[in-house]
Amino acid sequence: MAVLETFYDVMRRQGISRRSFVKYCSLTAAALGLGPEFVPQIAEAMETKPRTPVLWLHGLECTCCSESFIRAAHPLVKDVILSMISLDYDDTLMASAGHQAEAILDEVMEKYHGNYILAVEGNPPLNEDGMYCIIGGKPFVDQLRRVASGAKAVISWGSCASYGCVQAARPNPTQATPVHKVILDKPIIKVPGCPPIAEVMTGVITYMQTFDRLPELDRQGRPKMFYSQRIHDKCYRRPHFDAGQYVEAFDDEGARKGYCLYKVGCKGPTTYNACSTVRWNDGVSFPIQSGHGCIGCSEDGFWDKGSWYARLQDVSGFGIEASADKVGMAAAGVVGAGLAAHAAVSALTRARYKGDDV
Amino acid sequence: MSASDRLLTDAELKGTNLEGLHARPLRARRLLTVYVYEAPVRLWHWVTAASIVVLAVTGYLIGSPPPSLSGEASSHYQMGWIRYLHFAAAWIFSVGFVGRVIWAFMGNIYSREIFFLPLWKKEYWKDLLDEMLVYAFIKKQAKTVVGHNALARTALFFCFTLTGLFMIVTGFALYSDGTGIDSWEGRVFGWIMPWQGGDLSTHFLHHWGMWVIVLFVMIHVYTVSREDIMSRQTLISAMTNGYRNFRDDRPD
C-alpha cells in the first residue's frame, strides 16, 4: 500500500543511492540549523516513519508559493520532498481533477483523521459569505474549515495565508482574512513571504516529518529557525550601513559600488526572513544583492505600509505623500510661529501691566 | 498690593546687607521662598533634557541619514556612532525615568505631580480653566502654585510622562530587533510590534513620538521662560537651585 511507504522507500524507488540519501540528510540537518548528531536521527525517521499525508489547499492567491516550492534548489529536495511527503491533494499539482480530486480529499480526511497536515496557500475571503473564492462549487472558506477540522496542524504558506497580503490590502473589498483568524483551534505555522523561500518551505515540512512535532515558533507563529533574524542582521551590505555609505539614487556611484540601500527604502531592517542567508534560486542571489531594496514581503500588511522606496510609511490625511517628518516639521513651524506671536502679545500686555502697577 | 510685598524704604534696609543703598531703584521687597524641587528631581530634569536632545537629533538622523560617505567602509563608522549615541542616551533616559518613578515615592508631594492628574478634584478643573484663560489673554494672572500649575501638569502628564513611557516601550521593542527575539528586550517588549501591526508601524509611531516630544520641548521652554518673567512665581531658578520665589504674598 502506497500510504505505508517510508520516505526512504520512495527515494530508493526513484533511483536515489544510499550515499545520496545520507548526503541529503546531512544537508537537511544543516539547513535546519541542527548539528551533525541529528543526521542519523533524520535518516532513521526517513527510513522508518510512514509518510504523513499533506493536503494542500489553494484559496485567494497567485500561486507564487507553489511556484517557489517546486523550484526548491537542491535537486534532491525538489525530487524527494515533493514525492516524499504524501502530497495527496494539491489541485494545482495533482494529475486528477474535478470529482476524482475531491474524492481523494474526502478519503484522506477520513482515513487519516487527526493525523494529516493541512497546508494552506492563499486565504479565504469572508465577504458575501465567501463567494469571492469558489472551489469545487463551494466557498473556499467552507472547504478550509472542513479540512482543518481533522488536521494535526496547519501550515500557512506565504503572506496571504499568514497575514492577508495584497488581497487584504486596504480597502480589502473581499474581506480576505488570514488563516489564523478563521481556524482558531489548531496549531498554525506561519511561513510568510511573497513567496516564501523554497528551502524554507521544504525545511519546515522536513522538520515536521522528521521529528513529528512543530518547529519552535516565535510570538507570531513563525518557525524561529528561519524567521528569528532580520534581513538586515545578515545582509552583506550591512558594513556600508554602519559606515554611513548609502545608495542615494539607483543610478549613482553608491549604487555601482554596492552601498547600503537604506535610503532608497530597503525594508531589510524591519523584515524577518532568511533571504540574506539562504538566498534564492540555489543561493544565486536575493533582492538586495541584485541592487534593489527589500520590500518586506514577509511582514504583516506590507502593502499598506507606504512606498517600497521610502523608509517610513506615509501619513494619510495630510496630502498625498506627506511623510511623518514633513508633518512634524510643519507642526514645529506652526507651533514656533504661534509661540512667537504669543510672546509678542505677552510682551505688549506686560508693558501695559507695568504701567499700571509699578 | 498687600502690605507684605510692598516695596521697602531706605530705612527698612538698615541693618541688612543692603544698608546704605537706595531701596527704590532696587525695587527691594521681602518675599516668600519655598524649596520645591529636591536635588534628585533637578538632576533628573537636566539629565533627561540632555538625553532628549541627543535622542531627537540621533533619532532623526537614523530615519534620515546624512549624505553618503565615500571611501572604504572600514574607515567609517558614522551610522554606527549615531545609533550608539541613540542607544546610550536611551538607556540614560530610561534609567532616569525609572529612578524618577522611584523618587516619586520617596520625594516631596510635588515630585508626584507629573505621574497622575487629580481629575476627581473640582479645584484641578477650575485651575486648568484659569490657566487657559491667562494664556488666552483673558485673565491677567492665575493663582500662585508651589509645584506645577494645572495646565503645565496636564501637558507634562500627556506629552512627557505618557509619551516618554511610550518611547521607552517602543524603543526597547525596536532595540530587540538587534538583540534578538530571545533577548530580555525581545521577551519583555517584543509583543509591541505585532500588536501595533508590524515592525514598520512601530518605527513609524516611535518617529511620531519624537515629534510630540520636540513640540512639547518648544512649548515647555517658551512657557517656562514666560512664566518666569510674567507669572507670580519663578520657574527656571526653581529647577536649577530648587527654590521658588513668589513675587507677591496675596492669598488667591
Side-chain angles (χ1 to χ4, degrees), chain A residues 49-296:
Chain A
K49 284 190 185 168
R51 300 184 299 163
T52 309
V54 176
L55 300 179
W56 188 312
L57 300 186
H58 297 258
L60 220 52
E61 58 156 36
C62 73
T63 322
C64 75
C65 301
S66 292
E67 290 286 346
S68 173
F69 187 74
I70 61 175
R71 280 164 185 76
H74 202 274
L76 277 174
V77 178
K78 184 179 75 179
D79 292 339
V80 173
I81 299 273
L82 205 55
S83 52
M84 194 180 78
I85 57 167
S86 181
L87 190 56
D88 290 345
Y89 178 90
D90 183 333
D91 49 36
T92 312
L93 297 178
M94 69 201 301
S96 54
H99 291 296
Q100 279 181 326
E102 298 306 306
I104 295 167
L105 193 63
D106 291 332
E107 189 191 315
V108 173
M109 278 175 62
E110 199 181 315
K111 206 163 162 187
Y112 293 93
H113 190 84
N115 285 316
Y116 59 86
I117 292 169
L118 168 61
V120 188
E121 186 179 344
N123 59 28
L126 301 184
N127 212 2
E128 305 287 353
D129 297 322
M131 298 302 271
Y132 287 105
C133 185
I134 302 289
I135 310 285
K138 288 174 192 158
F140 172 62
V141 64
D142 293 351
Q143 188 193 36
L144 177 64
R145 286 209 178 97
R146 190 165 62 91
V147 180
S149 65
K152 185 163 68 175
V154 181
I155 302 177
S156 288
W157 283 145
S159 294
C160 298
S162 301
Y163 298 122
C165 207
V166 64
Q167 62 272 44
R170 278 191 292 269
N172 192 1
T174 64
Q175 211 191 322
T177 307
V179 170
H180 66 275
K181 289 185 180 165
V182 176
I183 306 301
L184 305 169
D185 55 348
K186 297 284 173 189
I188 291 176
I189 304 143
K190 289 181 190 164
V191 187
C194 192
I197 303 168
E199 285 72 18
V200 169
M201 299 174 81
T202 52
V204 168
I205 284 200
T206 309
Y207 186 96
M208 289 170 74
Q209 295 280 25
T210 308
F211 297 104
D212 208 15
R213 61 164 188 259
L214 304 187
E216 198 187 342
L217 304 177
D218 71 359
R219 193 180 271 107
Q220 296 189 54
R222 302 172 296 191
K224 272 185 178 176
M225 55 182 127
F226 297 114
Y227 293 93
S228 62
Q229 280 189 314
R230 298 170 297 167
I231 307 285
H232 193 55
D233 294 320
K234 288 284 168 67
C235 181
Y236 78 104
R237 295 193 185 199
R238 178 65 187 264
H240 291 298
F241 171 80
D242 289 332
Q245 298 180 313
Y246 316 96
V247 175
E248 307 271 358
F250 280 111
D251 57 353
D252 71 359
E253 186 66 17
R256 281 189 285 280
K257 284 184 172 165
Y259 286 174
C260 173
L261 295 155
Y262 186 78
K263 277 192 174 179
V264 285
C266 180
K267 302 293 190 295
T270 51
T271 304
Y272 284 80
N273 207 336
C275 302
S276 51
T277 40
V278 177
R279 307 194 185 198
W280 290 78
N281 303 320
D282 206 0
V284 168
S285 184
F286 71 114
I288 293 167
Q289 195 174 342
S290 63
H292 190 285
C294 165
I295 62 170

Side-chain angles (χ1 to χ4, degrees), chain B residues 2-250:
Chain B
S2 63
S4 59
D5 57 286
R6 66 179 171 75
L7 298 180
L8 301 181
T9 62
D10 289 357
E12 281 167 314
L13 294 184
K14 281 226 171 73
T16 72
N17 56 332
L18 299 181
E19 185 173 340
L21 296 174
H22 291 294
R24 188 68 189 173
L26 293 173
R27 297 186 190 174
R29 286 193 269 180
R30 286 188 194 281
L31 292 171
L32 219 70
T33 295
V34 292
Y35 186 57
V36 51
Y37 298 127
E38 298 146 304
V41 173
R42 283 177 276 140
L43 180 69
W44 166 81
H45 174 274
W46 294 109
V47 167
T48 300
S51 66
I52 285 176
V53 171
V54 175
L55 283 166
V57 171
T58 55
Y60 181 83
L61 290 177
I62 291 170
S64 309
S68 187
L69 298 172
S70 57
E72 285 297 318
S74 56
S75 56
H76 304 292
Y77 196 56
Q78 188 195 61
M79 183 52 98
W81 279 112
I82 292 172
R83 292 175 71 241
Y84 170 76
L85 285 173
H86 193 77
F87 300 145
W91 269 107
I92 290 169
F93 181 85
S94 306
V95 170
F97 196 93
V98 171
R100 184 64 180 78
V101 170
I102 294 169
W103 186 256
F105 291 97
M106 298 162 71
N108 62 21
I109 58 165
Y110 309 106
S111 68
R112 295 188 261 286
E113 285 183 338
I114 64 168
F115 293 106
F116 70 97
L117 297 175
L119 300 171
W120 59 91
K121 284 186 183 162
K122 221 177 134 187
E123 203 190 351
Y124 163 78
W125 294 103
K126 192 195 163 294
D127 293 348
L128 185 64
L129 179 70
D130 273 1
E131 203 66 48
M132 285 174 170
L133 292 178
V134 169
Y135 273 86
F137 303 108
I138 294 167
K139 265 191 81 162
K140 200 147 76 176
Q141 278 184 325
K143 64 184 255 188
T144 53
V145 279
V146 178
H148 301 93
N149 71 53
L151 185 60
R153 185 173 177 174
T154 309
L156 272 165
F157 178 74
F158 286 109
C159 300
F160 175 76
T161 310
L162 290 189
T163 310
L165 193 62
F166 176 82
M167 294 304 270
I168 290 171
V169 170
T170 52
F172 273 103
L174 293 171
Y175 192 55
S176 77
D177 276 342
T179 56
I181 56 171
D182 289 322
S183 62
W184 75 264
E185 294 94 346
R187 284 199 300 270
V188 177
F189 298 106
W191 57 273
I192 301 284
M193 287 180 284
W195 175 67
Q196 289 180 337
D199 219 307
L200 209 57
S201 302
T202 306
H203 273 266
F204 180 72
L205 293 168
H206 194 71
H207 206 89
W208 268 117
M210 175 198 78
W211 282 109
V212 170
I213 290 179
V214 165
L215 295 189
F216 168 74
V217 167
M218 289 173 68
I219 294 169
H220 178 74
V221 171
Y222 169 69
T223 53
V224 163
S225 310
R226 183 185 189 276
E227 290 280 311
D228 203 62
I229 298 165
M230 297 182 68
S231 79
R232 293 164 63 195
Q233 61 262 306
T234 58
L235 274 86
I236 297 173
S237 55
M239 199 43 92
T240 52
N241 59 36
Y243 287 95
R244 168 159 290 155
N245 300 320
F246 293 103
R247 296 220 170 79
D248 66 67
D249 292 353
R250 272 175 290 152

